[in-house]
Short mmCIF file of all heavy atoms in Angstrom, two decimals:
data_model
loop_
_atom_site.label_atom_id
_atom_site.label_comp_id
_atom_site.label_asym_id
_atom_site.label_seq_id
_atom_site.Cartn_x
_atom_site.Cartn_y
_atom_site.Cartn_z
N ASP A 158 27.11 -9.15 -10.54
CA ASP A 158 28.28 -10.02 -10.35
C ASP A 158 28.82 -10.50 -11.69
O ASP A 158 28.08 -10.63 -12.67
CB ASP A 158 27.89 -11.21 -9.49
CG ASP A 158 29.11 -11.90 -8.89
OD1 ASP A 158 30.21 -11.32 -8.94
OD2 ASP A 158 28.95 -13.03 -8.38
N THR A 159 30.11 -10.74 -11.74
CA THR A 159 30.74 -11.29 -12.94
C THR A 159 32.09 -11.90 -12.56
O THR A 159 32.72 -11.46 -11.59
CB THR A 159 30.95 -10.21 -14.02
OG1 THR A 159 31.54 -10.81 -15.18
CG2 THR A 159 31.88 -9.11 -13.52
N GLU A 160 32.50 -12.89 -13.30
CA GLU A 160 33.82 -13.48 -13.11
C GLU A 160 34.87 -12.76 -13.96
O GLU A 160 36.07 -12.99 -13.80
CB GLU A 160 33.80 -14.97 -13.50
CG GLU A 160 32.90 -15.82 -12.63
CD GLU A 160 33.35 -15.84 -11.18
OE1 GLU A 160 34.58 -15.87 -10.94
OE2 GLU A 160 32.48 -15.80 -10.28
N LYS A 161 34.40 -11.88 -14.82
CA LYS A 161 35.29 -11.18 -15.73
C LYS A 161 36.19 -10.20 -14.99
O LYS A 161 35.76 -9.52 -14.05
CB LYS A 161 34.45 -10.44 -16.78
CG LYS A 161 35.24 -9.69 -17.82
CD LYS A 161 34.35 -9.21 -18.96
CE LYS A 161 33.19 -8.38 -18.51
NZ LYS A 161 32.37 -7.89 -19.66
N LEU A 162 37.43 -10.11 -15.41
CA LEU A 162 38.36 -9.14 -14.84
C LEU A 162 38.02 -7.76 -15.39
O LEU A 162 37.82 -7.60 -16.59
CB LEU A 162 39.80 -9.52 -15.21
CG LEU A 162 40.92 -8.88 -14.39
CD1 LEU A 162 40.87 -9.37 -12.94
CD2 LEU A 162 42.29 -9.20 -15.01
N ILE A 163 37.95 -6.78 -14.50
CA ILE A 163 37.59 -5.42 -14.91
C ILE A 163 38.86 -4.65 -15.25
O ILE A 163 39.71 -4.39 -14.41
CB ILE A 163 36.82 -4.69 -13.80
CG1 ILE A 163 35.62 -5.51 -13.33
CG2 ILE A 163 36.41 -3.30 -14.28
CD1 ILE A 163 34.64 -5.87 -14.43
N LYS A 164 38.96 -4.25 -16.51
CA LYS A 164 40.11 -3.48 -16.98
C LYS A 164 39.67 -2.16 -17.61
O LYS A 164 40.21 -1.11 -17.31
CB LYS A 164 40.91 -4.31 -17.99
CG LYS A 164 42.09 -3.58 -18.63
CD LYS A 164 43.19 -3.26 -17.63
CE LYS A 164 44.40 -2.65 -18.34
NZ LYS A 164 45.48 -2.28 -17.41
N THR A 165 38.68 -2.22 -18.49
CA THR A 165 38.15 -0.99 -19.10
C THR A 165 36.82 -0.65 -18.44
O THR A 165 36.00 -1.53 -18.14
CB THR A 165 37.94 -1.16 -20.61
OG1 THR A 165 37.07 -2.26 -20.85
CG2 THR A 165 39.27 -1.38 -21.31
N VAL A 166 36.61 0.65 -18.21
CA VAL A 166 35.43 1.11 -17.46
C VAL A 166 34.77 2.27 -18.19
O VAL A 166 35.44 3.20 -18.62
CB VAL A 166 35.83 1.57 -16.04
CG1 VAL A 166 34.60 2.07 -15.28
CG2 VAL A 166 36.52 0.44 -15.28
N ALA A 167 33.45 2.20 -18.33
CA ALA A 167 32.66 3.32 -18.84
C ALA A 167 31.97 3.99 -17.66
O ALA A 167 31.57 3.31 -16.71
CB ALA A 167 31.62 2.83 -19.84
N VAL A 168 31.87 5.30 -17.69
CA VAL A 168 31.22 6.02 -16.59
C VAL A 168 30.20 7.02 -17.13
O VAL A 168 30.37 7.61 -18.20
CB VAL A 168 32.25 6.77 -15.69
CG1 VAL A 168 33.26 5.82 -15.10
CG2 VAL A 168 32.95 7.88 -16.46
N GLY A 169 29.14 7.19 -16.34
CA GLY A 169 28.11 8.19 -16.62
C GLY A 169 27.50 8.63 -15.31
O GLY A 169 26.79 7.85 -14.67
N GLY A 170 27.80 9.83 -14.88
CA GLY A 170 27.29 10.32 -13.60
C GLY A 170 25.78 10.51 -13.62
O GLY A 170 25.18 10.76 -14.67
N GLY A 171 25.16 10.37 -12.46
CA GLY A 171 23.72 10.57 -12.36
C GLY A 171 22.93 9.38 -12.85
O GLY A 171 23.34 8.23 -12.69
N ALA A 172 21.79 9.65 -13.49
CA ALA A 172 20.90 8.58 -13.95
C ALA A 172 21.21 8.25 -15.40
O ALA A 172 20.79 8.97 -16.31
CB ALA A 172 19.44 9.02 -13.80
N CYS A 173 21.93 7.18 -15.63
CA CYS A 173 22.34 6.79 -16.99
C CYS A 173 22.06 5.32 -17.27
O CYS A 173 22.75 4.70 -18.09
CB CYS A 173 23.83 7.08 -17.20
SG CYS A 173 24.27 8.82 -17.26
N GLY A 174 21.09 4.76 -16.59
CA GLY A 174 20.81 3.35 -16.75
C GLY A 174 20.46 2.96 -18.18
O GLY A 174 20.69 1.82 -18.60
N GLU A 175 19.91 3.92 -18.95
CA GLU A 175 19.51 3.60 -20.33
C GLU A 175 20.71 3.41 -21.26
O GLU A 175 20.55 2.98 -22.41
CB GLU A 175 18.60 4.69 -20.89
CG GLU A 175 19.27 6.02 -21.19
CD GLU A 175 19.26 6.99 -20.02
OE1 GLU A 175 19.20 6.52 -18.87
OE2 GLU A 175 19.31 8.21 -20.27
N TYR A 176 21.91 3.72 -20.75
CA TYR A 176 23.11 3.61 -21.59
C TYR A 176 23.89 2.32 -21.35
O TYR A 176 25.04 2.22 -21.77
CB TYR A 176 24.04 4.80 -21.34
CG TYR A 176 23.48 6.13 -21.79
CD1 TYR A 176 23.08 7.09 -20.86
CD2 TYR A 176 23.38 6.44 -23.14
CE1 TYR A 176 22.57 8.31 -21.26
CE2 TYR A 176 22.87 7.65 -23.56
CZ TYR A 176 22.47 8.59 -22.61
OH TYR A 176 21.96 9.80 -23.03
N VAL A 177 23.29 1.34 -20.68
CA VAL A 177 24.01 0.11 -20.37
C VAL A 177 24.58 -0.54 -21.61
O VAL A 177 25.75 -0.94 -21.65
CB VAL A 177 23.11 -0.88 -19.59
CG1 VAL A 177 23.79 -2.24 -19.49
CG2 VAL A 177 22.80 -0.35 -18.19
N GLU A 178 23.78 -0.68 -22.65
CA GLU A 178 24.24 -1.34 -23.86
C GLU A 178 25.40 -0.60 -24.50
O GLU A 178 26.39 -1.22 -24.94
CB GLU A 178 23.08 -1.48 -24.87
CG GLU A 178 21.98 -2.42 -24.43
CD GLU A 178 22.40 -3.89 -24.49
OE1 GLU A 178 23.45 -4.19 -25.09
OE2 GLU A 178 21.68 -4.73 -23.91
N ASP A 179 25.31 0.73 -24.57
CA ASP A 179 26.40 1.53 -25.13
C ASP A 179 27.67 1.36 -24.32
O ASP A 179 28.77 1.24 -24.87
CB ASP A 179 26.01 3.02 -25.16
CG ASP A 179 24.85 3.30 -26.09
OD1 ASP A 179 25.03 3.20 -27.31
OD2 ASP A 179 23.76 3.61 -25.58
N ALA A 180 27.51 1.36 -23.01
CA ALA A 180 28.67 1.24 -22.13
C ALA A 180 29.35 -0.11 -22.30
O ALA A 180 30.58 -0.20 -22.43
CB ALA A 180 28.25 1.44 -20.68
N MET A 181 28.55 -1.15 -22.30
CA MET A 181 29.12 -2.49 -22.34
C MET A 181 29.67 -2.86 -23.72
O MET A 181 30.44 -3.81 -23.85
CB MET A 181 28.08 -3.52 -21.90
CG MET A 181 27.60 -3.33 -20.46
SD MET A 181 28.93 -3.09 -19.25
CE MET A 181 29.91 -4.55 -19.50
N ALA A 182 29.32 -2.10 -24.73
CA ALA A 182 29.93 -2.30 -26.05
C ALA A 182 31.34 -1.73 -26.10
O ALA A 182 32.09 -2.00 -27.04
CB ALA A 182 29.07 -1.64 -27.14
N ASN A 183 31.69 -0.96 -25.05
CA ASN A 183 32.99 -0.29 -25.05
C ASN A 183 33.83 -0.56 -23.81
O ASN A 183 34.95 -0.06 -23.71
CB ASN A 183 32.78 1.24 -25.14
CG ASN A 183 32.21 1.67 -26.46
OD1 ASN A 183 32.94 1.89 -27.41
ND2 ASN A 183 30.88 1.79 -26.51
N ALA A 184 33.32 -1.34 -22.87
CA ALA A 184 34.03 -1.51 -21.60
C ALA A 184 33.65 -2.81 -20.92
O ALA A 184 32.65 -3.46 -21.27
CB ALA A 184 33.73 -0.33 -20.67
N ASP A 185 34.45 -3.18 -19.91
CA ASP A 185 34.18 -4.38 -19.10
C ASP A 185 33.17 -4.09 -18.00
O ASP A 185 32.53 -5.01 -17.48
CB ASP A 185 35.47 -4.88 -18.45
CG ASP A 185 36.54 -5.23 -19.45
OD1 ASP A 185 36.21 -5.81 -20.50
OD2 ASP A 185 37.72 -4.90 -19.20
N CYS A 186 33.05 -2.84 -17.63
CA CYS A 186 32.20 -2.46 -16.50
C CYS A 186 31.64 -1.07 -16.73
O CYS A 186 32.29 -0.22 -17.34
CB CYS A 186 33.01 -2.49 -15.20
SG CYS A 186 32.07 -2.08 -13.70
N PHE A 187 30.43 -0.83 -16.24
CA PHE A 187 29.77 0.47 -16.35
C PHE A 187 29.47 1.01 -14.96
O PHE A 187 28.77 0.36 -14.18
CB PHE A 187 28.48 0.34 -17.16
CG PHE A 187 27.71 1.61 -17.35
CD1 PHE A 187 28.36 2.83 -17.50
CD2 PHE A 187 26.33 1.59 -17.42
CE1 PHE A 187 27.65 4.01 -17.70
CE2 PHE A 187 25.60 2.76 -17.62
CZ PHE A 187 26.27 3.97 -17.76
N VAL A 188 30.00 2.19 -14.64
CA VAL A 188 29.72 2.86 -13.37
C VAL A 188 28.79 4.03 -13.64
O VAL A 188 29.12 4.93 -14.42
CB VAL A 188 31.02 3.38 -12.71
CG1 VAL A 188 30.69 4.11 -11.41
CG2 VAL A 188 31.97 2.23 -12.43
#
Side-chain angles (χ1 to χ4, degrees):
D158 198 13
T159 181
E160 296 297 322
K161 181 169 56 178
L162 197 66
I163 307 303
K164 177 66 175 178
T165 57
V166 179
V168 302
C173 291
E175 71 270 27
Y176 293 109
V177 170
E178 293 287 347
D179 295 290
M181 298 312 303
N183 293 274
D185 301 320
C186 181
F187 181 34
V188 178

